Amino acid sequence: MAGLPPFELFSLISNVLLAVLTATTKSEFCGSYFEAHVDHALVGHVMGRSTVTSDFECLQKCIRKISCKSCNVHLNGTYTSRICELKNQTQHMKSSDLMRKEGSTYYGIVQHMLQVSCNPGFHEDNTTKNVTSSHEGSLAPVLGWNSSLPAQSCKHIRDVGGSKGNGEYWIDPGSSGNPLKVYCDMTTDEGGWLLIYNVIIDNSRPPTSLDVETSYTGINRYKNGKMVISPDGLRQLRKNFSFTQLRFHCRKQYHGRTFHVKTAANSSGQAVVRFFSGDTDVFPEACGSFEKLQGDNSELASRCAEWGKEKNAYYVGKWGHEGHKELHINSAFILSTYHWITSPDHDRWECDDVLAKHMSNGDFWKIYVR
């Protein structure tokens, strides 16, 4: 495809995009196509630049980024390499900025009426309201919004501009061809968090058992309120996409405290990720390895020097509990005072407390990766 003349390539891409959009069963919606101006470029308004092997690859990048409205493709000295510039304006918005430039091709997204009328959620600034997974009203398929175009992770969706807020998205971390519908937190701490552990108290009663997922694919069962990932599952997930952070969040209404921290973007934080992912057996230092997040008022996060058990000694200032590597059994704790634990076998459901039997509807324990 890299060898196609720009005008022929434009015609092919237009047909592909229109075929994708007209495949829905809705009777009213907008479609779109790319218009092309050979030996022209839109000056300025650059939101990203990269090297690509074809015009089509550049157009794919634009399609997958919601804020992208056009792109320039420049020859890069050879016919096997091109420079791709993504733009947040079109030549119709900034007509004076479309300039002649030999060896470049401008591609701009143009709204096109396919049937009766445009979806009322469509806006000229390329945003949508009430967008469904079939993308009615959007200009092009969005990465992670349905099973036919899964992302690698929640962070991947966020990074390409595909966030539509907290909720369900489709990912395929291992590129297996079997995408998963998962929950992504796209608002906390700049978003991009994938939920891998979700225990919720329903009707003030804890689950009678946990679903300990030994394969990462089990994270799509987060809705059952008793999903936790095993060390093997977490190790497998990290092999498929290299997440660098963990985030712990629990809350119990009875004592009014919340534990909410993320591992830091430093070597100490990385040590925590490596430990729980099974890359090392070295218990990671607690202090300096995490940052408090919004809402944290826990004793546990304030007393990191007292965490853990190692070599049969307590108060060692480390993550984890000797003899356990499971996230749900004292991944962070201070002996006999403040614990993170969800264990039906021992009837222990503790969030910054110990042996507390009082639970309220909606109390929760959640862990995310990013």
Side-chain angles (χ1 to χ4, degrees), residues 21 24-31 117-123 127-142 145-146:
L21 290 169
T24 68
T25 59
K26 301 294 182 179
S27 60
E28 297 182 359
F29 60 94
C30 289
S117 64
C118 292
N119 183 281
F122 177 80
H123 296 270
T127 61
T128 59
K129 293 189 297 185
N130 302 321
V131 178
T132 69
S133 59
S134 63
H135 317 306
E136 52 181 333
S138 65
L139 286 175
V142 182
W145 283 25
N146 64 36

Side-chain angles (χ1 to χ4, degrees), residues 244-268:
T244 59
Q245 288 182 294
L246 287 158
R247 178 176 138 225
F248 295 76
H249 192 191
C250 69
R251 182 175 68 216
K252 291 182 76 172
Q253 299 173 52
Y254 178 68
H255 59 47
R257 289 200 304 276
T258 297
F259 178 62
H260 193 194
V261 304
K262 68 172 182 178
T263 55
N266 58 26
S267 58
S268 296

Side-chain angles (χ1 to χ4, degrees), residues 2-303:
L4 283 175
F7 187 78
E8 291 182 25
L9 182 63
F10 157 66
S11 178
L12 173 61
I13 293 167
S14 298
N15 291 336
V16 170
L17 288 177
L18 291 175
V20 170
L21 290 169
T22 55
T24 68
T25 59
K26 301 294 182 179
S27 60
E28 297 182 359
F29 60 94
C30 289
S32 64
Y33 62 87
F34 281 98
E35 62 174 351
H37 289 272
V38 180
D39 288 334
H40 283 77
L42 189 70
V43 178
H45 318 295
V46 178
M47 55 185 293
R49 182 181 284 107
S50 61
T51 302
V52 297
T53 58
S54 68
D55 292 39
F56 187 64
E57 184 180 348
C58 186
L59 292 175
Q60 285 182 311
K61 289 178 179 289
C62 188
I63 289 169
R64 291 174 178 174
K65 196 169 186 66
I66 289 178
S67 53
C68 181
K69 295 178 173 64
S70 67
C71 57
N72 294 332
V73 182
H74 310 293
L75 292 179
N76 192 28
T78 70
Y79 287 98
T80 59
S81 177
R82 289 160 168 74
I83 300 299
C84 171
E85 291 181 339
L86 304 185
K87 308 281 183 168
N88 58 14
Q89 301 289 329
T90 69
Q91 65 104 358
H92 295 286
M93 299 172 179
K94 301 289 181 180
S95 58
S96 62
D97 293 336
L98 184 68
M99 305 290 185
R100 181 169 178 79
K101 184 173 182 179
E102 190 172 350
S104 299
T105 302
Y106 162 83
Y107 295 97
I109 294 176
V110 176
Q111 183 182 334
H112 178 68
M113 195 74 68
L114 293 179
Q115 292 190 15
V116 178
S117 64
C118 292
N119 183 281
F122 177 80
H123 296 270
E124 289 298 327
D125 63 357
N126 200 24
T127 61
T128 59
K129 293 189 297 185
N130 302 321
V131 178
T132 69
S133 59
S134 63
H135 317 306
E136 52 181 333
S138 65
L139 286 175
V142 182
L143 192 70
W145 283 25
N146 64 36
S147 59
S148 64
L149 193 63
Q152 186 183 42
S153 66
C154 297
K155 183 177 182 295
H156 185 198
I157 296 168
R158 183 205 69 177
D159 289 349
V160 300
S163 171
K164 55 182 177 178
N166 297 343
E168 292 185 329
Y169 294 82
W170 290 89
I171 66 170
D172 187 3
S175 299
S176 65
N178 296 303
L180 307 171
K181 184 185 284 187
V182 298
Y183 184 87
C184 298
D185 181 336
M186 294 299 200
T187 58
T188 302
D189 188 51
E190 300 182 348
W193 295 101
L194 169 62
L195 183 65
I196 61 164
Y197 181 124
N198 191 40
V199 176
I200 300 174
I201 303 300
D202 185 20
N203 296 321
S204 301
R205 296 179 181 178
T208 56
S209 63
L210 293 180
D211 288 345
V212 182
E213 304 296 347
T214 57
S215 168
Y216 78 85
T217 59
I219 61 177
N220 68 343
R221 288 188 279 272
Y222 74 90
K223 286 184 178 179
N224 64 24
K226 57 178 184 176
M227 179 269 291
V228 302
I229 195 166
S230 72
D232 287 341
L234 192 61
R235 185 183 306 115
Q236 186 186 71
L237 180 63
R238 191 157 182 257
K239 285 182 178 179
N240 284 294
F241 87 93
S242 299
F243 60 83
T244 59
Q245 288 182 294
L246 287 158
R247 178 176 138 225
F248 295 76
H249 192 191
C250 69
R251 182 175 68 216
K252 291 182 76 172
Q253 299 173 52
Y254 178 68
H255 59 47
R257 289 200 304 276
T258 297
F259 178 62
H260 193 194
V261 304
K262 68 172 182 178
T263 55
N266 58 26
S267 58
S268 296
Q270 283 297 299
V272 180
V273 174
R274 290 196 301 272
F275 176 76
F276 286 114
S277 299
D279 291 347
T280 177
D281 292 325
V282 178
F283 288 92
E285 298 287 341
C287 294
S289 70
F290 65 86
E291 300 172 12
K292 293 183 180 182
L293 291 175
Q294 184 176 5
D296 180 90
N297 62 352
S298 66
E299 293 292 333
L300 190 57
S302 300
R303 296 168 59 174

